[in-house]
PDB file of all heavy atoms in Angstrom:
ATOM      1  N   LYS A 524       6.755  -2.778   4.295  1.00 98.00           N
ATOM      2  CA  LYS A 524       7.407  -3.920   3.657  1.00 98.00           C
ATOM      3  C   LYS A 524       8.524  -4.476   4.544  1.00 98.00           C
ATOM      4  O   LYS A 524       8.645  -5.683   4.719  1.00 98.00           O
ATOM      5  CB  LYS A 524       7.978  -3.507   2.291  1.00 98.00           C
ATOM      6  CG  LYS A 524       8.693  -4.636   1.570  1.00 98.00           C
ATOM      7  CD  LYS A 524       9.214  -4.157   0.218  1.00 98.00           C
ATOM      8  CE  LYS A 524       9.916  -5.305  -0.520  1.00 98.00           C
ATOM      9  NZ  LYS A 524      10.402  -4.892  -1.853  1.00 98.00           N
ATOM     10  N   ARG A 525       9.317  -3.577   5.140  1.00 97.00           N
ATOM     11  CA  ARG A 525      10.399  -4.022   6.017  1.00 97.00           C
ATOM     12  C   ARG A 525       9.857  -4.755   7.237  1.00 97.00           C
ATOM     13  O   ARG A 525      10.425  -5.762   7.686  1.00 97.00           O
ATOM     14  CB  ARG A 525      11.262  -2.823   6.450  1.00 97.00           C
ATOM     15  CG  ARG A 525      12.167  -2.284   5.348  1.00 97.00           C
ATOM     16  CD  ARG A 525      13.213  -1.348   5.904  1.00 97.00           C
ATOM     17  NE  ARG A 525      12.638  -0.157   6.533  1.00 97.00           N
ATOM     18  CZ  ARG A 525      12.331   0.957   5.883  1.00 97.00           C
ATOM     19  NH1 ARG A 525      12.562   1.047   4.573  1.00 97.00           N
ATOM     20  NH2 ARG A 525      11.829   1.983   6.517  1.00 97.00           N
ATOM     21  N   VAL A 526       8.775  -4.239   7.815  1.00 98.00           N
ATOM     22  CA  VAL A 526       8.162  -4.925   8.974  1.00 98.00           C
ATOM     23  C   VAL A 526       7.758  -6.342   8.603  1.00 98.00           C
ATOM     24  O   VAL A 526       8.043  -7.300   9.325  1.00 98.00           O
ATOM     25  CB  VAL A 526       6.949  -4.120   9.480  1.00 98.00           C
ATOM     26  CG1 VAL A 526       6.155  -4.938  10.509  1.00 98.00           C
ATOM     27  CG2 VAL A 526       7.385  -2.800  10.108  1.00 98.00           C
ATOM     28  N   ASN A 527       7.100  -6.487   7.463  1.00 98.00           N
ATOM     29  CA  ASN A 527       6.657  -7.810   7.018  1.00 98.00           C
ATOM     30  C   ASN A 527       7.838  -8.732   6.774  1.00 98.00           C
ATOM     31  O   ASN A 527       7.792  -9.924   7.104  1.00 98.00           O
ATOM     32  CB  ASN A 527       5.793  -7.675   5.763  1.00 98.00           C
ATOM     33  CG  ASN A 527       4.355  -7.364   6.064  1.00 98.00           C
ATOM     34  OD1 ASN A 527       3.486  -8.204   5.944  1.00 98.00           O
ATOM     35  ND2 ASN A 527       4.083  -6.132   6.481  1.00 98.00           N
ATOM     36  N   GLU A 528       8.888  -8.198   6.164  1.00 98.00           N
ATOM     37  CA  GLU A 528      10.070  -9.018   5.902  1.00 98.00           C
ATOM     38  C   GLU A 528      10.709  -9.494   7.198  1.00 98.00           C
ATOM     39  O   GLU A 528      11.106 -10.656   7.317  1.00 98.00           O
ATOM     40  CB  GLU A 528      11.065  -8.224   5.069  1.00 98.00           C
ATOM     41  CG  GLU A 528      10.620  -8.014   3.619  1.00 98.00           C
ATOM     42  CD  GLU A 528      11.557  -7.115   2.833  1.00 98.00           C
ATOM     43  OE1 GLU A 528      12.335  -6.365   3.475  1.00 98.00           O
ATOM     44  OE2 GLU A 528      11.492  -7.138   1.599  1.00 98.00           O
ATOM     45  N   LYS A 529      10.835  -8.587   8.178  1.00 98.00           N
ATOM     46  CA  LYS A 529      11.468  -8.951   9.454  1.00 98.00           C
ATOM     47  C   LYS A 529      10.634  -9.969  10.221  1.00 98.00           C
ATOM     48  O   LYS A 529      11.182 -10.709  11.050  1.00 98.00           O
ATOM     49  CB  LYS A 529      11.697  -7.697  10.293  1.00 98.00           C
ATOM     50  CG  LYS A 529      12.755  -6.760   9.726  1.00 98.00           C
ATOM     51  CD  LYS A 529      12.867  -5.496  10.551  1.00 98.00           C
ATOM     52  CE  LYS A 529      13.906  -4.541   9.980  1.00 98.00           C
ATOM     53  NZ  LYS A 529      13.984  -3.267  10.744  1.00 98.00           N
ATOM     54  N   CYS A 530       9.336  -9.990   9.971  1.00 98.00           N
ATOM     55  CA  CYS A 530       8.458 -10.939  10.655  1.00 98.00           C
ATOM     56  C   CYS A 530       8.313 -12.241   9.893  1.00 98.00           C
ATOM     57  O   CYS A 530       7.744 -13.209  10.423  1.00 98.00           O
ATOM     58  CB  CYS A 530       7.089 -10.314  10.897  1.00 98.00           C
ATOM     59  SG  CYS A 530       7.122  -8.921  12.041  1.00 98.00           S
ATOM     60  N   GLY A 531       8.805 -12.287   8.659  1.00 98.00           N
ATOM     61  CA  GLY A 531       8.774 -13.528   7.893  1.00 98.00           C
ATOM     62  C   GLY A 531       7.524 -13.806   7.102  1.00 98.00           C
ATOM     63  O   GLY A 531       7.336 -14.918   6.601  1.00 98.00           O
ATOM     64  N   LEU A 532       6.642 -12.799   6.962  1.00 98.00           N
ATOM     65  CA  LEU A 532       5.419 -13.024   6.176  1.00 98.00           C
ATOM     66  C   LEU A 532       5.782 -13.203   4.705  1.00 98.00           C
ATOM     67  O   LEU A 532       6.644 -12.509   4.173  1.00 98.00           O
ATOM     68  CB  LEU A 532       4.438 -11.864   6.348  1.00 98.00           C
ATOM     69  CG  LEU A 532       3.670 -11.884   7.668  1.00 98.00           C
ATOM     70  CD1 LEU A 532       4.358 -11.012   8.692  1.00 98.00           C
ATOM     71  CD2 LEU A 532       2.227 -11.421   7.476  1.00 98.00           C
ATOM     72  N   LYS A 533       5.106 -14.141   4.058  1.00 98.00           N
ATOM     73  CA  LYS A 533       5.436 -14.514   2.681  1.00 98.00           C
ATOM     74  C   LYS A 533       4.529 -13.797   1.687  1.00 98.00           C
ATOM     75  O   LYS A 533       3.316 -13.697   1.888  1.00 98.00           O
ATOM     76  CB  LYS A 533       5.293 -16.034   2.520  1.00 98.00           C
ATOM     77  CG  LYS A 533       6.235 -16.817   3.444  1.00 98.00           C
ATOM     78  CD  LYS A 533       6.103 -18.306   3.215  1.00 98.00           C
ATOM     79  CE  LYS A 533       7.064 -19.081   4.116  1.00 98.00           C
ATOM     80  NZ  LYS A 533       6.990 -20.543   3.860  1.00 98.00           N
ATOM     81  N   ILE A 534       5.130 -13.341   0.574  1.00 98.00           N
ATOM     82  CA  ILE A 534       4.360 -12.661  -0.469  1.00 98.00           C
ATOM     83  C   ILE A 534       3.423 -13.655  -1.144  1.00 98.00           C
ATOM     84  O   ILE A 534       3.821 -14.751  -1.543  1.00 98.00           O
ATOM     85  CB  ILE A 534       5.305 -12.053  -1.520  1.00 98.00           C
ATOM     86  CG1 ILE A 534       6.178 -10.950  -0.890  1.00 98.00           C
ATOM     87  CG2 ILE A 534       4.498 -11.467  -2.682  1.00 98.00           C
ATOM     88  CD1 ILE A 534       7.213 -10.365  -1.840  1.00 98.00           C
ATOM     89  N   GLU A 535       2.166 -13.246  -1.290  1.00 97.00           N
ATOM     90  CA  GLU A 535       1.191 -14.073  -1.989  1.00 97.00           C
ATOM     91  C   GLU A 535       0.722 -13.451  -3.298  1.00 97.00           C
ATOM     92  O   GLU A 535       0.227 -14.132  -4.167  1.00 97.00           O
ATOM     93  CB  GLU A 535      -0.011 -14.332  -1.083  1.00 97.00           C
ATOM     94  CG  GLU A 535       0.343 -15.160   0.147  1.00 97.00           C
ATOM     95  CD  GLU A 535      -0.866 -15.683   0.874  1.00 97.00           C
ATOM     96  OE1 GLU A 535      -1.904 -14.984   0.855  1.00 97.00           O
ATOM     97  OE2 GLU A 535      -0.781 -16.790   1.443  1.00 97.00           O
ATOM     98  N   GLY A 536       0.889 -12.139  -3.421  1.00 97.00           N
ATOM     99  CA  GLY A 536       0.486 -11.488  -4.649  1.00 97.00           C
ATOM    100  C   GLY A 536       0.207 -10.017  -4.466  1.00 97.00           C
ATOM    101  O   GLY A 536       0.339  -9.475  -3.368  1.00 97.00           O
ATOM    102  N   VAL A 537      -0.173  -9.365  -5.543  1.00 98.00           N
ATOM    103  CA  VAL A 537      -0.498  -7.946  -5.537  1.00 98.00           C
ATOM    104  C   VAL A 537      -1.953  -7.781  -5.955  1.00 98.00           C
ATOM    105  O   VAL A 537      -2.387  -8.298  -6.990  1.00 98.00           O
ATOM    106  CB  VAL A 537       0.414  -7.147  -6.484  1.00 98.00           C
ATOM    107  CG1 VAL A 537      -0.026  -5.685  -6.570  1.00 98.00           C
ATOM    108  CG2 VAL A 537       1.866  -7.240  -6.026  1.00 98.00           C
ATOM    109  N   MET A 538      -2.714  -7.077  -5.116  1.00 96.00           N
ATOM    110  CA  MET A 538      -4.108  -6.766  -5.433  1.00 96.00           C
ATOM    111  C   MET A 538      -4.136  -5.378  -6.074  1.00 96.00           C
ATOM    112  O   MET A 538      -3.976  -4.361  -5.383  1.00 96.00           O
ATOM    113  CB  MET A 538      -4.963  -6.812  -4.165  1.00 96.00           C
ATOM    114  CG  MET A 538      -4.988  -8.205  -3.536  1.00 96.00           C
ATOM    115  SD  MET A 538      -5.981  -8.278  -2.029  1.00 96.00           S
ATOM    116  CE  MET A 538      -4.874  -7.441  -0.885  1.00 96.00           C
ATOM    117  N   ARG A 539      -4.311  -5.338  -7.371  1.00 97.00           N
ATOM    118  CA  ARG A 539      -4.222  -4.099  -8.122  1.00 97.00           C
ATOM    119  C   ARG A 539      -5.433  -3.220  -7.834  1.00 97.00           C
ATOM    120  O   ARG A 539      -6.570  -3.688  -7.791  1.00 97.00           O
ATOM    121  CB  ARG A 539      -4.088  -4.379  -9.599  1.00 97.00           C
ATOM    122  CG  ARG A 539      -2.767  -5.078  -9.963  1.00 97.00           C
ATOM    123  CD  ARG A 539      -2.707  -5.406 -11.423  1.00 97.00           C
ATOM    124  NE  ARG A 539      -3.720  -6.378 -11.800  1.00 97.00           N
ATOM    125  CZ  ARG A 539      -4.020  -6.681 -13.066  1.00 97.00           C
ATOM    126  NH1 ARG A 539      -3.376  -6.092 -14.059  1.00 97.00           N
ATOM    127  NH2 ARG A 539      -4.951  -7.572 -13.326  1.00 97.00           N
ATOM    128  N   LYS A 540      -5.166  -1.932  -7.650  1.00 96.00           N
ATOM    129  CA  LYS A 540      -6.207  -0.929  -7.372  1.00 96.00           C
ATOM    130  C   LYS A 540      -7.132  -1.383  -6.240  1.00 96.00           C
ATOM    131  O   LYS A 540      -8.354  -1.188  -6.284  1.00 96.00           O
ATOM    132  CB  LYS A 540      -7.007  -0.623  -8.646  1.00 96.00           C
ATOM    133  CG  LYS A 540      -6.134  -0.071  -9.759  1.00 96.00           C
ATOM    134  CD  LYS A 540      -5.325   1.127  -9.296  1.00 96.00           C
ATOM    135  CE  LYS A 540      -4.312   1.589 -10.325  1.00 96.00           C
ATOM    136  NZ  LYS A 540      -3.373   2.611  -9.795  1.00 96.00           N
ATOM    137  N   PHE A 541      -6.528  -1.942  -5.198  1.00 95.00           N
ATOM    138  CA  PHE A 541      -7.276  -2.373  -4.048  1.00 95.00           C
ATOM    139  C   PHE A 541      -7.902  -1.180  -3.326  1.00 95.00           C
ATOM    140  O   PHE A 541      -9.013  -1.251  -2.807  1.00 95.00           O
ATOM    141  CB  PHE A 541      -6.364  -3.141  -3.104  1.00 95.00           C
ATOM    142  CG  PHE A 541      -7.046  -3.720  -1.901  1.00 95.00           C
ATOM    143  CD1 PHE A 541      -7.756  -4.908  -2.016  1.00 95.00           C
ATOM    144  CD2 PHE A 541      -6.981  -3.103  -0.662  1.00 95.00           C
ATOM    145  CE1 PHE A 541      -8.400  -5.455  -0.908  1.00 95.00           C
ATOM    146  CE2 PHE A 541      -7.625  -3.641   0.439  1.00 95.00           C
ATOM    147  CZ  PHE A 541      -8.343  -4.810   0.320  1.00 95.00           C
ATOM    148  N   LEU A 542      -7.168  -0.060  -3.274  1.00 92.00           N
ATOM    149  CA  LEU A 542      -7.670   1.183  -2.692  1.00 92.00           C
ATOM    150  C   LEU A 542      -8.185   2.098  -3.796  1.00 92.00           C
ATOM    151  O   LEU A 542      -7.647   2.107  -4.908  1.00 92.00           O
ATOM    152  CB  LEU A 542      -6.576   1.889  -1.904  1.00 92.00           C
ATOM    153  CG  LEU A 542      -6.030   1.158  -0.680  1.00 92.00           C
ATOM    154  CD1 LEU A 542      -4.899   1.959  -0.055  1.00 92.00           C
ATOM    155  CD2 LEU A 542      -7.132   0.921   0.344  1.00 92.00           C
ATOM    156  N   GLY A 543      -9.220   2.862  -3.478  1.00 92.00           N
ATOM    157  CA  GLY A 543      -9.749   3.805  -4.440  1.00 92.00           C
ATOM    158  C   GLY A 543      -8.771   4.942  -4.696  1.00 92.00           C
ATOM    159  O   GLY A 543      -7.836   5.177  -3.933  1.00 92.00           O
ATOM    160  N   ALA A 544      -9.012   5.658  -5.762  1.00 94.00           N
ATOM    161  CA  ALA A 544      -8.147   6.780  -6.130  1.00 94.00           C
ATOM    162  C   ALA A 544      -8.201   7.856  -5.041  1.00 94.00           C
ATOM    163  O   ALA A 544      -9.270   8.138  -4.485  1.00 94.00           O
ATOM    164  CB  ALA A 544      -8.570   7.358  -7.459  1.00 94.00           C
ATOM    165  N   PRO A 545      -7.061   8.458  -4.711  1.00 96.00           N
ATOM    166  CA  PRO A 545      -7.058   9.523  -3.685  1.00 96.00           C
ATOM    167  C   PRO A 545      -7.747  10.777  -4.212  1.00 96.00           C
ATOM    168  O   PRO A 545      -7.774  11.031  -5.421  1.00 96.00           O
ATOM    169  CB  PRO A 545      -5.565   9.763  -3.460  1.00 96.00           C
ATOM    170  CG  PRO A 545      -4.927   9.393  -4.749  1.00 96.00           C
ATOM    171  CD  PRO A 545      -5.722   8.222  -5.274  1.00 96.00           C
ATOM    172  N   THR A 546      -8.288  11.556  -3.297  1.00 96.00           N
ATOM    173  CA  THR A 546      -8.864  12.844  -3.669  1.00 96.00           C
ATOM    174  C   THR A 546      -7.748  13.853  -3.908  1.00 96.00           C
ATOM    175  O   THR A 546      -6.592  13.636  -3.526  1.00 96.00           O
ATOM    176  CB  THR A 546      -9.789  13.360  -2.569  1.00 96.00           C
ATOM    177  OG1 THR A 546      -8.985  13.627  -1.387  1.00 96.00           O
ATOM    178  CG2 THR A 546     -10.877  12.337  -2.229  1.00 96.00           C
ATOM    179  N   GLU A 547      -8.098  14.952  -4.523  1.00 97.00           N
ATOM    180  CA  GLU A 547      -7.117  16.030  -4.729  1.00 97.00           C
ATOM    181  C   GLU A 547      -6.589  16.543  -3.390  1.00 97.00           C
ATOM    182  O   GLU A 547      -5.413  16.860  -3.259  1.00 97.00           O
ATOM    183  CB  GLU A 547      -7.751  17.167  -5.526  1.00 97.00           C
ATOM    184  CG  GLU A 547      -8.036  16.827  -6.988  1.00 97.00           C
ATOM    185  CD  GLU A 547      -6.765  16.526  -7.766  1.00 97.00           C
ATOM    186  OE1 GLU A 547      -5.738  17.176  -7.491  1.00 97.00           O
ATOM    187  OE2 GLU A 547      -6.802  15.641  -8.640  1.00 97.00           O
ATOM    188  N   GLU A 548      -7.477  16.577  -2.388  1.00 97.00           N
ATOM    189  CA  GLU A 548      -7.049  17.050  -1.064  1.00 97.00           C
ATOM    190  C   GLU A 548      -6.052  16.078  -0.451  1.00 97.00           C
ATOM    191  O   GLU A 548      -5.052  16.499   0.153  1.00 97.00           O
ATOM    192  CB  GLU A 548      -8.259  17.205  -0.146  1.00 97.00           C
ATOM    193  CG  GLU A 548      -7.904  17.735   1.242  1.00 97.00           C
ATOM    194  CD  GLU A 548      -9.100  17.926   2.141  1.00 97.00           C
ATOM    195  OE1 GLU A 548     -10.221  17.518   1.760  1.00 97.00           O
ATOM    196  OE2 GLU A 548      -8.922  18.477   3.237  1.00 97.00           O
ATOM    197  N   MET A 549      -6.290  14.789  -0.600  1.00 97.00           N
ATOM    198  CA  MET A 549      -5.335  13.805  -0.083  1.00 97.00           C
ATOM    199  C   MET A 549      -3.976  13.956  -0.739  1.00 97.00           C
ATOM    200  O   MET A 549      -2.944  13.893  -0.080  1.00 97.00           O
ATOM    201  CB  MET A 549      -5.896  12.377  -0.293  1.00 97.00           C
ATOM    202  CG  MET A 549      -7.061  12.020   0.586  1.00 97.00           C
ATOM    203  SD  MET A 549      -7.818  10.421   0.143  1.00 97.00           S
ATOM    204  CE  MET A 549      -6.515   9.273   0.651  1.00 97.00           C
ATOM    205  N   LEU A 550      -3.956  14.183  -2.038  1.00 97.00           N
ATOM    206  CA  LEU A 550      -2.692  14.371  -2.752  1.00 97.00           C
ATOM    207  C   LEU A 550      -1.981  15.631  -2.262  1.00 97.00           C
ATOM    208  O   LEU A 550      -0.760  15.618  -2.066  1.00 97.00           O
ATOM    209  CB  LEU A 550      -2.936  14.438  -4.265  1.00 97.00           C
ATOM    210  CG  LEU A 550      -3.397  13.135  -4.916  1.00 97.00           C
ATOM    211  CD1 LEU A 550      -3.806  13.389  -6.348  1.00 97.00           C
ATOM    212  CD2 LEU A 550      -2.285  12.082  -4.850  1.00 97.00           C
ATOM    213  N   ARG A 551      -2.721  16.690  -2.053  1.00 97.00           N
ATOM    214  CA  ARG A 551      -2.120  17.929  -1.547  1.00 97.00           C
ATOM    215  C   ARG A 551      -1.558  17.714  -0.151  1.00 97.00           C
ATOM    216  O   ARG A 551      -0.551  18.345   0.226  1.00 97.00           O
ATOM    217  CB  ARG A 551      -3.153  19.063  -1.514  1.00 97.00           C
ATOM    218  CG  ARG A 551      -3.533  19.624  -2.879  1.00 97.00           C
ATOM    219  CD  ARG A 551      -4.257  20.944  -2.736  1.00 97.00           C
ATOM    220  NE  ARG A 551      -5.476  20.816  -1.950  1.00 97.00           N
ATOM    221  CZ  ARG A 551      -6.666  20.550  -2.453  1.00 97.00           C
ATOM    222  NH1 ARG A 551      -6.800  20.352  -3.773  1.00 97.00           N
ATOM    223  NH2 ARG A 551      -7.741  20.466  -1.680  1.00 97.00           N
ATOM    224  N   ASN A 552      -2.189  16.831   0.634  1.00 97.00           N
ATOM    225  CA  ASN A 552      -1.757  16.604   2.016  1.00 97.00           C
ATOM    226  C   ASN A 552      -0.701  15.502   2.159  1.00 97.00           C
ATOM    227  O   ASN A 552      -0.406  15.097   3.270  1.00 97.00           O
ATOM    228  CB  ASN A 552      -2.978  16.288   2.881  1.00 97.00           C
ATOM    229  CG  ASN A 552      -3.850  17.496   3.123  1.00 97.00           C
ATOM    230  OD1 ASN A 552      -3.373  18.625   3.084  1.00 97.00           O
ATOM    231  ND2 ASN A 552      -5.131  17.277   3.351  1.00 97.00           N
ATOM    232  N   GLY A 553      -0.166  15.022   1.034  1.00 98.00           N
ATOM    233  CA  GLY A 553       0.972  14.124   1.138  1.00 98.00           C
ATOM    234  C   GLY A 553       0.756  12.672   0.802  1.00 98.00           C
ATOM    235  O   GLY A 553       1.652  11.845   1.036  1.00 98.00           O
TER     236      GLY A 553
END
């Protein structure tokens, strides 16, 4: 978010659930 702000990119919206749910292993790994 900070990178985008410093570069001046403008917010257009939020794409809800754009990424699939993480696996249990992904959650364990941070």
Side-chain angles (χ1 to χ4, degrees):
K524 180 179 180 178
R525 287 194 297 273
V526 169
N527 276 254
E528 288 175 341
K529 291 176 181 178
C530 294
L532 283 95
K533 300 182 179 183
I534 296 175
E535 295 193 328
V537 175
M538 297 179 286
R539 294 177 295 169
K540 300 306 172 190
F541 184 80
L542 296 177
T546 65
E547 290 297 324
E548 182 179 7
M549 289 172 69
L550 291 171
R551 287 195 301 270
N552 288 334

